[in-house]
Amino acid sequence: MVDLNAPFNRVTLIPGDSAEITIDITVKKKQTGTATFQIYTEWTLNNGVFTGSAPKSFTVDPQSPGTTTTFSEKGKVTVASGQGFGTFDLSVEAFDITNTSTTDPLEMGKAATYSVIVPNNLPSDTTSPVITKPADMTVEATGPDGAFVDFTVSALDAVDGAVSVTAMPASGSKFPLGSTTVSLTASDSKGNTATDSFLITVVDTTAPDITVPDDITVEATGPSGAVVIFNPTAWDLVDEAVEVIAAPFPGQRSPWAPRR
């Protein structure tokens, strides 16, 4: 016989909170074979109904008359954020009992009952979460369309604890050249909303890279030197191919220099 007991059978919780409960299990009577059973270890109270989850299995070896096998297990009860006030009874009992012998099979015994009290005089929550954001950011462009930027934001609510923050644009987005406002929004379970923002500015302070030919030696074609053609190029991360201004410019007659 699988009997479940509730050493602490009364718990008071406000919506959104959880509490640990203790489940004591006693298996009595003669048993000639091995048996297994399960109990749920987590429950959620929502709209007045308990839903069990996280089942755990237990195994009982053969035992003689007058022998008892005991287990103690920790469970958790959670009250959903929208649950109304009242007193609700949670019944915890064994299920899925299997036996290797039919002579003295293990059977379900008494259940453990917990009273979950949701009080009516809940304090009102009119305080918005507090958003933690980075300082305004300046980042270097990595291409003509800006740069990918990662950042971290968070929010803490006095009642709900940590709550999620929505950022637009989101962290990891590609930000264009110039300044972009990142808008932040965080809401708690009571609908209190906080907003904030910060700036991400993408700048281009990296000079282009110039590619030049090797030093050139040419034969003079006249008393004023020689016309020399060369082709320097430049590449910029943002503007890509850019013009190179050379002095003297390609194709201009360069004076000859006497050998010393």
Side-chain angles (χ1 to χ4, degrees):
M1 191 76 66
V2 183
D3 292 332
L4 276 68
N5 303 295
F8 305 99
N9 61 355
R10 181 180 293 268
V11 60
T12 300
L13 293 171
I14 66 173
D17 276 1
S18 300
E20 184 180 87
I21 61 174
T22 300
I23 309 163
D24 287 343
I25 306 167
T26 302
V27 180
K28 299 180 295 185
K29 297 179 62 175
K30 175 184 177 182
Q31 182 181 301
T32 57
T34 299
T36 63
F37 63 91
Q38 295 190 73
I39 65 168
Y40 290 121
T41 59
E42 295 183 10
W43 296 265
T44 299
L45 173 62
N46 190 20
N47 293 326
V49 177
F50 288 97
T51 301
S53 61
K56 183 173 181 179
S57 296
F58 298 85
T59 300
V60 184
D61 295 326
Q63 59 185 32
S64 58
T67 302
T68 60
T69 300
T70 60
F71 305 93
S72 185
E73 184 64 29
K74 298 296 184 183
K76 184 175 75 171
V77 178
T78 300
V79 176
S81 59
Q83 174 62 49
F85 70 92
T87 299
F88 307 90
D89 289 334
L90 167 63
S91 180
V92 182
E93 57 187 6
F95 62 91
D96 283 353
I97 299 176
T98 61
N99 296 276
T100 59
S101 172
T102 58
T103 305
D104 298 289
L106 186 65
E107 298 175 343
M108 185 172 63
K110 68 177 184 179
T113 301
Y114 296 84
S115 292
V116 179
I117 303 169
V118 183
N120 187 25
N121 56 340
L122 297 177
S124 60
D125 176 13
T126 59
T127 303
S128 298
V130 176
I131 296 175
T132 299
K133 63 178 183 179
D136 291 346
M137 303 170 66
T138 300
V139 298
E140 188 72 18
T142 57
D145 49 356
F148 290 101
V149 182
D150 293 317
F151 55 85
T152 301
V153 293
S154 61
L156 188 64
D157 185 70
V159 175
D160 296 339
V163 295
S164 61
V165 182
T166 300
M168 292 295 294
S171 176
S173 299
K174 176 165 280 190
F175 288 77
L177 283 161
S179 295
T180 300
T181 299
V182 179
S183 299
L184 307 174
T185 304
S187 298
D188 63 17
S189 61
K190 299 301 182 183
N192 300 306
T193 299
T195 59
D196 209 335
S197 64
F198 66 99
L199 287 177
I200 292 180
T201 302
V202 180
V203 298
D204 176 18
T205 63
T206 303
D209 288 326
I210 298 177
T211 301
V212 299
D214 295 332
D215 293 345
I216 301 173
T217 301
V218 298
E219 190 71 24
T221 59
S224 59
V227 174
V228 180
I229 303 298
F230 55 92
N231 185 31
T233 61
W235 183 264
D236 184 72
L237 284 173
V238 172
D239 297 328
E240 298 183 338
V242 294
E243 180 185 6
V244 180
I245 299 175
F249 56 82
Q252 182 178 356
R253 185 174 294 275
S254 299
W256 64 276
R259 294 182 180 178
R260 297 181 182 270

